[in-house]
Amino acid sequence: MDWTRAVDGYCERLGPEFWAEPVNAVTNAAFVLAALVMWRRTFGLGRVLCAILAAIGIGSFLFHTFAQPWAGLADVLPILVYVLVYIYGANRDFWGLGRWASLALTALFIPYAAVTAPLFGMVPGLGGTASYAPVPLLIAIYAILLRNRVPGTARGLAIGVAILLASMLARTLDEPLCNVIPLGTHFLWHVLNAVMLGWMIEVWTRHVLAARGAGR
């Protein structure tokens, strides 16, 4: 595989230049800003998630400037790490599971995504966004299962699903609307994702604080 070949996957990019996607590149600052805001509001695992959130912004910036496969890897790997760390935190803190049980259930995300992503790939028009679709589905499942145990946390997760679906719509419409919106809509994927990921840290933080207050 040629790790330095040019990648042109977004409406805004019209050439191989570093700043060929200025809006897509600059809007990655939203991830770093969300990480900084939440760093002051959270602790423990929440701060680990903040660090990963900032790394997501940096990786995505690299991909939308260098636009090469190695940068694409720097883009997607922090996202996967964030998802896995959050699932671990949800298993441990939302369900009260032990470390090893939480880790074992977290590991199941890999086969879960391997099975569901191809199914979402069959949805017409979803394209590359299909690889992200298992995430809102899983969050929705957690929200439903937690609705009686911790209704406030379940509502927070449901809000996260709604924001993520909106961001996925923006990502999906980038190419189809390219002739209508030359700038594309991918930058909204960045902004909405930054809000969503920051919000998910807030959901975890509120849950842990509430649990401590209740003596759980």
Side-chain angles (χ1 to χ4, degrees):
M1 180 178 182
D2 182 2
W3 289 95
T4 58
R5 64 179 175 83
V7 176
D8 183 1
Y10 303 99
C11 179
E12 188 183 14
R13 179 164 289 276
L14 299 177
E17 296 81 13
F18 186 87
W19 286 112
E21 297 178 60
V23 177
N24 283 349
V26 171
T27 49
N28 286 298
F31 293 106
V32 178
L33 178 60
L36 291 174
V37 170
M38 289 310 305
W39 183 271
R40 298 173 62 88
R41 296 179 56 82
T42 192
F43 44 83
L45 185 70
R47 289 197 166 180
V48 174
L49 289 166
C50 286
I52 302 169
L53 180 53
I56 290 173
I58 295 170
S60 185
F61 174 81
L62 292 174
F63 185 52
H64 288 288
T65 49
F66 288 96
Q68 296 174 345
W70 69 265
L73 196 61
D75 180 18
V76 298
L77 280 182
I79 298 173
L80 175 60
V81 173
Y82 183 101
V83 170
L84 293 175
V85 171
Y86 199 95
I87 293 173
Y88 171 79
N91 292 334
R92 186 191 68 181
D93 300 311
F94 298 170
W95 289 109
L97 300 178
R99 177 184 300 175
W100 294 111
S102 297
L103 285 171
L105 283 178
T106 300
L108 291 178
F109 176 79
I110 303 300
Y112 158 79
V115 170
T116 55
L119 296 177
F120 282 112
M122 299 178 186
V123 178
L126 198 55
T129 307
S131 61
Y132 295 97
V135 176
L137 175 60
L138 184 61
I139 299 172
I141 291 171
Y142 270 60
I144 292 169
L145 294 177
L146 288 165
R147 67 188 186 281
N148 293 324
R149 179 184 177 92
V150 278
T153 300
R155 283 193 297 272
L157 294 176
I159 292 171
V161 170
I163 301 172
L164 181 53
L165 290 177
S167 71
M168 289 172 59
L169 179 62
R171 189 182 194 279
T172 303
L173 293 176
D174 183 63
E175 285 293 337
L177 294 182
C178 197
N179 290 332
V180 180
I181 309 174
L183 178 63
T185 59
H186 190 80
F187 73 96
L188 292 173
W189 158 260
H190 294 161
V191 175
L192 290 171
N193 253 357
V195 172
M196 182 269 178
L197 296 174
W199 169 250
M200 293 297 285
I201 297 172
E202 178 72 13
V203 172
W204 177 87
T205 304
R206 291 181 183 183
H207 175 90
V208 173
L209 289 176
R212 289 179 179 177
R216 293 203 298 268

